[in-house]
Amino acid sequence: MPEGSSLAQTQWRLGATIGQIARRWRARLDARIAPFGLTEARWLALLHLSRGGDGLTQKQLAARLSIEGPTLVRTLDWLEREGLVERREAPHDRRAKTLHLTLKARPLTQRIEAAATGIRAEIMAGIPAAELAICLSVLERVAQGLAACPTTPAKDPAAEGPAQEDPADGHRAA
């Protein structure tokens, strides 16, 4: 934990706790959904398609999943081979593909939603609604702060020394 003010320590603990919650929550979901035969990438894609409605483009789905388009292609290939997703030519752009859940996918997405709902209920059991609302409000402001921050790290000139080449691999080391 960093030294410093009480506020700095609280902020550090909040960041660490958010990360821990995200990892544990995802692990619990993965374990609950594993019997469905889906990887995290696959069930997340199905869930976003289910919630986003038919007709999202591959680019839109990639943005919602915060991944690059090419990364999504293999997942969609698998989902299509399994008969869970259909790709169609986009009416507004022949180069783009829209994504559509098949009838076979609907019961599976309902099972995924039910598993996620059950986990949320387990995790938050006993926490009053008013406290959840306050927590959500704070986390939404944290999310807004993250959205407003640049994604590239700021350079700290004081922390930068002369870069040196690592003789072991020939790469520059800070």
Side-chain angles (χ1 to χ4, degrees):
M1 183 178 331
E3 293 185 30
S5 70
S6 175
L7 176 59
Q9 290 179 6
T10 299
Q11 290 170 337
W12 179 86
R13 286 180 53 211
L14 178 62
T17 302
I18 289 170
Q20 185 179 64
I21 288 168
R23 285 186 302 277
R24 288 181 178 174
W25 197 315
R26 184 64 49 82
R28 178 124 10 132
L29 269 170
D30 283 343
R32 188 76 52 93
I33 294 172
F36 304 163
L38 298 171
T39 64
E40 179 181 326
R42 293 169 183 166
W43 66 256
L44 277 172
L46 287 173
L47 202 57
H48 279 271
L49 284 172
S50 174
R51 291 176 179 172
D54 268 355
L56 286 177
T57 65
Q58 289 182 195
K59 185 176 180 177
Q60 290 169 323
L61 180 59
R64 288 181 184 206
L65 293 169
S66 299
I67 61 174
E68 296 295 320
T71 303
L72 179 61
V73 170
R74 284 196 350 217
T75 297
L76 292 175
D77 288 346
W78 188 90
L79 292 171
E80 191 172 38
R81 276 193 310 273
E82 293 298 310
L84 299 170
V85 169
E86 245 180 41
R87 289 177 172 127
R88 299 180 193 157
E89 197 173 277
H92 61 281
D93 182 354
R94 290 184 308 165
R95 296 168 298 169
K97 300 288 183 194
T98 57
L99 303 167
H100 305 268
L101 291 176
T102 64
L103 291 176
K104 180 180 177 181
R106 303 276 176 206
L108 184 56
T109 59
Q110 290 170 350
R111 289 172 61 200
I112 294 167
E113 287 283 8
T117 298
I119 287 170
R120 282 192 301 271
E122 292 167 15
I123 292 169
M124 295 183 234
I127 302 173
E131 288 183 28
L132 286 173
I134 292 168
C135 180
L136 178 60
S137 174
V138 170
L139 290 175
E140 285 174 340
R141 291 192 314 227
V142 170
Q144 288 170 352
L146 284 169
C149 292
T151 56
T152 55
K155 291 187 178 182
D156 181 0
E160 286 186 12
Q164 300 173 353
E165 195 169 291
D166 183 345
D169 63 10
H171 290 96
R172 292 169 41 93

